[in-house]
């Protein structure tokens, strides 16, 4: 009744590399969390990022070696500025899963500054502080930290990397957020997609440069550091922007990066071939524990987007096609990794009756043994 689907014929296992994976669930055809748990175990992936605190997922992954980043959506931020509501949320949605499920981080909102909702901007830091203080009160701050994930739209200058700077209209908000990260020692998360740069300017951005393929690269004229891919240049631009605001004590992590395997007619480069090259080359670099040119002692920390295609995501076709796998467990493209997704178990009505009879008999036998 149980069968396994091989996701790739390659002998390479995905990791121990330390890569993380985003587990988006905006779809109506995804496998159950228990099947996903089996898939991740077969891939040896031990870090997962959720966009909520789905109890079905967190319970399923209890007593596993998977570290979780869980999320609070933008719509919850106003409530999380209230200490009582923040504490209640933690007691109801986080504390019951600890320590059996390894929750290590909570992201407050996602790409808040992309919304242009100034009230939301103002709520972000107080919500982060309030949730962190509630974690302290509950004695959970040593195992769970607090952060937020930002799009690269927060940068006004991204090249050369050494000139990276944040937008002026965000400086008052980001300064406080950076001070918070430095104080509680949590990472600054960015969602970095070289694909967007290529899609917007396919005639100017070299494809090999964004796909980690051999290329001439670019040189930062200020530092003379050479970059052979755009992702590392983006990370260093964020580091420069942070330093320009007085901080050298904050780590930058990539909470999302990926490449769509399909897109609309105006979405240049969204093909299975390019997606396979981007993610395949990215995994190799993670395996090599590579660092960026400006931060040579800090291996790049990455969560790939995403585990599955999500058929209900709004927006252009690319939004629904970032997955490494289709929901049925087959690979969207081959990136040299191997994993297994347990198949669905289908039973006929007669089989269900037989299983029910067996279950009742076992129950009677166990009851007899206990009474004896």
């Amino acid at each position: 009744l149980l069968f396994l689907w091989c996701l790739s014929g390659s002998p390479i296992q995905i990791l121990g590399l330390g890569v993380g994976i985003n587990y988006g669930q905006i779809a109506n055809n995804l496998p159950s969390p228990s099947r996903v748990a089996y898939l991740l175990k077969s891939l040896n992936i031990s870090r997962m990022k959720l966009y909520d605190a789905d109890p079905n997922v967190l319970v399923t992954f209890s007593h596993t070696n998977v570290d979780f980043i869980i999320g609070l959506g933008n719509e919850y931020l106003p409530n999380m500025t209230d200490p009582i509501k923040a504490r209640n949320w933690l007691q109801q949605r986080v504390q019951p899963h600890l320590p059996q499920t390894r929750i290590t981080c909570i992201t407050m909102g996602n790409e808040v500054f992309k919304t242009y909702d100034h009230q939301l901007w103002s709520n972000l830091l107080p919500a982060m502080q309030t949730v962190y203080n509630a974690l302290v009160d509950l004695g959970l701050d040593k195992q769970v930290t607090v952060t937020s994930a930002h799009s690269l739209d927060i940068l006004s200058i991204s090249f050369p990397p050494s000139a990276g700077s944040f937008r002026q209209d965000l400086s008052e908000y980001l300064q406080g957020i950076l001070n918070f990260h430095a104080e509680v020692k949590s990472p600054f998360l960015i969602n970095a997609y070289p694909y967007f740069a290529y899609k917007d300017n396919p005639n100017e951005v070299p494809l090999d440069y964004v796909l980690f393929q051999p290329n001439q690269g670019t040189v930062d004229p200020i530092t003379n550091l050479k970059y052979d891919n755009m992702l590392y240049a983006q990370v260093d631009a964020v580091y420069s922007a942070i330093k320009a605001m007085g901080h050298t004590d904050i780590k930058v992590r990539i909470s999302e990066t990926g490449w769509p395997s399909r897109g609309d007619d105006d979405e240049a480069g969204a093909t299975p071939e390019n997606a396979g090259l981007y993610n395949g080359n990215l995994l190799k670099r993670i395996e090599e524990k590579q660092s960026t040119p400006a931060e040579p002692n800090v291996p790049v920390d990455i969560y790939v987007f995403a585990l599955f295609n999500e058929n209900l995501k709004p927006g252009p076709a690319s939004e629904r096609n970032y997955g490494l796998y289709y929901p049925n467990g087959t690979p969207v493209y081959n990136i040299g990794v191997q994993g297994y997704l347990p198949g669905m178990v289908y039973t006929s009505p007669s089989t269900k009756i037989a299983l029910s009879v067996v279950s009742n008999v076992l129950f009677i036998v166990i009851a007899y043994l206990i009474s004896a």
Side-chain angles (χ1 to χ4, degrees):
L1 293 177
L2 185 68
F3 65 92
L4 301 179
W5 280 16
C6 178
L7 300 184
S8 169
S10 166
I12 303 173
Q13 281 277 327
I14 241 189
L15 325 280
L17 309 185
V19 71
I21 194 80
N22 282 273
Y23 182 16
Q25 299 181 79
I26 306 177
N28 61 8
N29 58 354
L30 296 180
S32 66
S34 60
R35 296 172 70 212
V36 174
Y38 192 100
L39 171 62
L40 258 66
K41 184 176 181 180
S42 72
L43 291 169
N44 198 25
I45 292 178
S46 61
R47 298 197 302 160
M48 179 181 282
K49 179 168 162 281
L50 297 177
Y51 292 86
D52 54 19
D54 185 343
N56 294 323
V57 175
L58 296 177
V59 168
T60 298
F61 279 83
S62 63
H63 305 292
T64 69
N65 67 340
V66 177
D67 289 338
F68 275 90
I69 295 177
I70 61 173
L72 260 168
N74 294 350
E75 67 273 18
Y76 294 103
L77 294 186
N79 281 342
M80 291 302 105
T81 63
D82 181 325
I84 295 176
K85 291 180 180 178
R87 185 185 178 98
N88 287 343
W89 183 84
L90 288 172
Q91 289 178 319
Q92 294 167 14
R93 303 302 299 271
V94 178
Q95 199 168 23
H97 301 289
L98 296 173
Q100 62 271 21
T101 301
R102 288 162 47 171
I103 300 171
T104 62
C105 183
I106 301 170
T107 55
M108 307 296 298
N110 186 56
E111 300 187 343
V112 167
F113 296 115
K114 204 177 181 70
T115 66
Y116 289 93
D117 181 336
H118 287 251
Q119 187 60 47
L120 201 58
W121 294 7
S122 297
N123 284 332
L124 179 56
L125 177 58
M128 293 169 70
Q129 292 170 324
T130 304
V131 169
Y132 179 77
N133 290 337
L135 285 168
V136 173
D137 291 343
L138 294 170
L140 302 176
D141 57 300
K142 301 305 180 187
Q143 53 188 309
V144 185
T145 191
V146 174
T147 184
S148 186
H150 308 280
S151 77
L152 286 184
D153 292 350
I154 61 175
L155 293 176
S156 61
I157 299 174
S158 60
F159 195 86
S162 59
S165 62
F166 294 124
R167 284 168 26 199
Q168 277 297 110
D169 60 325
L170 300 180
S171 60
E172 63 176 299
Y173 302 98
L174 289 172
Q175 185 68 70
I177 288 171
L178 292 172
N179 293 344
F180 170 81
H181 285 306
E183 179 184 351
V184 307
K185 296 179 172 51
S186 61
F188 189 86
L189 304 186
I190 59 169
N191 298 337
Y193 289 89
Y195 164 71
F196 294 150
Y198 178 77
K199 175 181 72 74
D200 293 340
N201 296 285
N203 296 322
E204 297 178 23
V205 176
L207 186 59
D208 287 342
Y209 180 64
V210 292
L211 293 179
F212 304 97
Q213 293 287 88
N215 66 91
Q216 293 182 344
T218 60
V219 175
D220 186 317
I222 300 172
T223 61
N224 286 323
L225 293 173
K226 184 175 181 179
Y227 291 83
D228 68 355
N229 72 85
M230 181 177 285
L231 184 67
Y232 289 7
Q234 291 175 333
V235 173
D236 278 350
V238 175
Y239 270 118
S240 294
I242 291 173
K243 288 174 184 175
M245 299 195 81
H247 284 285
T248 58
D249 50 356
I250 298 170
K251 295 291 188 294
V252 175
R253 292 182 182 173
I254 301 173
S255 45
E256 290 182 19
T257 192
W259 195 283
S261 59
R262 230 182 111 238
D264 292 322
D265 291 341
D266 61 347
E267 295 188 288
T271 67
E273 293 77 19
N274 288 341
L277 285 171
Y278 184 85
N279 285 316
N281 287 332
L282 179 65
L283 291 177
K284 291 175 185 175
R285 288 171 179 256
I286 296 171
E287 185 175 21
E288 294 168 2
K289 294 184 172 22
Q290 287 192 0
S291 304
T292 65
E295 297 290 334
N297 299 318
V298 184
V300 180
D301 191 336
I302 294 173
Y303 283 76
V304 173
F305 187 86
L307 187 56
F308 297 109
N309 282 346
E310 298 172 74
N311 67 341
L312 297 183
K313 288 197 75 174
S318 61
E319 288 295 312
R320 294 176 288 282
N321 290 278
Y322 273 92
L324 299 181
Y325 307 120
Y326 294 110
N328 67 6
T330 58
V332 177
Y333 42 81
N334 187 354
I335 55 172
V337 301
Q338 180 176 306
Y340 302 96
L341 181 71
M344 294 291 291
V345 177
Y346 297 98
T347 57
S348 66
S350 60
T351 304
K352 289 182 179 178
I353 293 172
L355 289 173
S356 177
V357 170
V358 170
S359 177
N360 288 335
V361 170
L362 286 174
F363 179 80
I364 293 170
V365 170
I366 291 171
Y368 172 78
L369 292 174
I370 291 174
S371 63

